[in-house]
Amino acid sequence: MIELKFVTKKYAGGHYGMYWENLTIPGGEIVGILGENGSGKTTMLKAIMGIGDLQNGEIRIDGRPVTEQYENMAFITEEGSFLPDRTPYEYADFLEDFFPNFDRKRYDKLLKFFKLERHVAIKKFSKGEKSKLEICAGFSKGAKYILMDEPFLGKDMFTRRDFLKLMVSSLKGDETILITTHIIDEIENVLDRAVILRYGRVKADLYIDDLREQGRSLADVMAEISGYEENKYKEIFE
């Protein structure tokens, strides 16, 4: 279980940039952290990982600080956590030393699936290849909590489809996944729940099954929260 209680971050001038009063995510859920650019999605994931300069509040993972849970956490980010001078093969040696549940066999299969060279320095990879390597590592750490920050960024439609299939099929059932993305149409069918942020605050927290019963989509809710007007562009031509 992930618990955020009265977590705040202030900017110059004393105003709150982030404020999350009470957010609880039980184990085993796939949760989309959604919102416009600058809404606080990445900041939330980093805070849960213990990265950043939040001033107040408490974040607990299974009742303990994240600093005591790193072996159970995986953070898949565009920034990358790999070591650029090493090869994917050498990077696996590093991961084995720090993650007791690291599954090298799964890692090798993912490298093969994404057609990544095992013995080429990572710094020679393209941006897309580095992103795929980050996914290979993240899903091989044996982590209970997998946090993904814009994992689809820069990926083509077919790579995104493959990623979603891999993500769902590789889960054992007890992992908790938090994923930020702007591609909500493709991710909606695999989510259990969506937390929608705006200006650093939680504006909606809903389960996808409940949304379907109402005959609504995530896009509908996002448009409502952001104040998006579908036909506003027509004013230009009037």
Side-chain angles (χ1 to χ4, degrees):
M1 178 182 290
I2 300 173
E3 298 173 280
L4 290 80
K5 296 181 179 179
F6 301 103
V7 178
T8 62
K9 178 177 181 176
K10 289 183 180 180
Y11 292 117
H15 70 279
Y16 286 108
M18 306 293 163
Y19 179 69
W20 308 313
E21 182 176 343
N22 192 358
L23 180 64
T24 300
I25 299 172
E29 290 188 347
I30 301 177
V31 183
I33 308 297
L34 311 175
E36 301 168 275
N37 287 336
S39 61
K41 303 185 299 296
T42 297
T43 300
M44 178 175 280
L45 293 195
K46 286 185 175 180
I48 293 170
M49 284 298 303
I51 306 169
D53 56 349
L54 300 175
Q55 284 89 7
N56 299 298
E58 183 179 45
I59 298 177
R60 294 270 171 174
I61 312 293
D62 291 339
R64 296 158 56 197
V66 67
T67 51
E68 299 177 12
Q69 292 277 27
Y70 281 139
E71 73 275 10
N72 293 317
M73 310 286 290
F75 190 26
I76 298 173
T77 169
E78 186 193 9
E79 297 171 7
S81 57
F82 45 77
L83 304 169
D85 290 323
R86 299 195 183 189
T87 66
Y89 182 84
E90 293 166 339
Y91 183 39
D93 292 337
F94 170 82
L95 292 171
E96 277 186 323
D97 289 338
F98 282 87
F99 294 90
N101 296 320
F102 179 71
D103 187 338
R104 187 151 194 160
K105 190 174 290 186
R106 174 185 286 185
Y107 176 79
D108 287 338
K109 285 181 178 179
L110 288 170
L111 289 180
K112 186 176 181 180
F113 177 83
F114 285 120
K115 299 178 181 178
L116 298 177
E117 294 289 342
R118 299 174 67 205
H119 299 290
V120 173
I122 297 169
K123 62 185 177 184
K124 295 182 179 179
F125 282 8
S126 68
K127 186 175 180 180
E129 288 172 332
K130 290 175 182 176
S131 178
K132 290 174 181 177
L133 178 63
E134 186 79 349
I135 290 169
C136 294
F139 277 95
S140 302
K141 291 176 180 177
K144 285 178 60 181
Y145 297 94
I146 303 173
L147 281 61
M148 294 183 281
D149 189 19
E150 294 290 355
F152 305 123
L153 206 61
K155 295 182 179 61
D156 61 72
M157 177 179 66
F158 300 109
T159 300
R160 295 197 301 267
R161 286 182 183 177
D162 284 342
F163 171 75
L164 286 172
K165 290 175 186 176
L166 283 170
M167 183 182 81
V168 173
S169 61
S170 65
L171 297 179
K172 299 174 184 176
D174 59 347
E175 300 97 335
T176 302
I177 292 183
L178 274 61
I179 180 169
T180 74
T181 181
H182 288 93
I183 308 176
I184 57 176
D185 291 339
E186 294 183 17
I187 196 70
E188 184 169 353
N189 289 331
V190 304
L191 295 179
D192 298 311
R193 178 181 174 189
V195 174
I196 302 175
L197 305 180
R198 185 166 169 80
Y199 302 136
R201 288 158 174 77
V202 175
K203 290 297 183 180
D205 183 359
L206 46 89
Y207 281 90
I208 304 302
D209 286 345
D210 294 338
L211 199 59
R212 291 194 185 112
E213 288 181 8
Q214 298 167 15
R216 305 175 73 205
S217 69
L218 273 177
D220 295 332
V221 179
M222 294 277 289
E224 191 177 287
I225 289 173
S226 66
Y228 173 70
E229 297 178 37
E230 185 175 357
N231 297 315
K232 188 172 178 60
Y233 75 95
K234 294 181 179 179
E235 295 176 3
I236 299 173
F237 304 102
E238 291 177 352

